[in-house]
Amino acid sequence: MAERLRRKAGALGLLLLGAAMVFLGGAVVTMVSAHGGDLALIHACVNNSSGEIKIVPANQTCNRNET
């Protein structure tokens, strides 16, 4: 009986570990896509009328008059 409980606990542990890995994998994908992809790149916004360039964080969006 004790062996049976031990097997169930082991299976539950593996199931929880698998679920945690799937959750963390999804979180990593979400973070990368929220940061505009490759964090090693420099992200910038260019003002459409003046041509002024400003460096911005990877997760910042440009203003309406910027690209």
Side-chain angles (χ1 to χ4, degrees):
M1 184 162 183
E3 181 65 29
R4 187 175 179 196
L5 287 175
R6 213 173 288 144
R7 284 185 190 162
K8 282 187 176 184
L12 180 60
L14 287 175
L15 180 66
L16 291 174
L17 177 63
M21 291 175 68
V22 168
F23 175 77
L24 290 174
V28 168
V29 168
T30 301
M31 282 178 40
V32 169
S33 64
H35 285 281
D38 190 354
L39 297 177
L41 298 176
I42 296 173
H43 298 267
C45 294
V46 180
N47 186 302
N48 294 330
S49 58
S50 70
E52 177 187 359
I53 300 171
K54 69 177 179 183
I55 306 298
V56 297
N59 61 349
Q60 182 175 330
T61 57
C62 298
N63 294 330
R64 270 192 284 160
N65 64 336
E66 296 175 333
T67 305

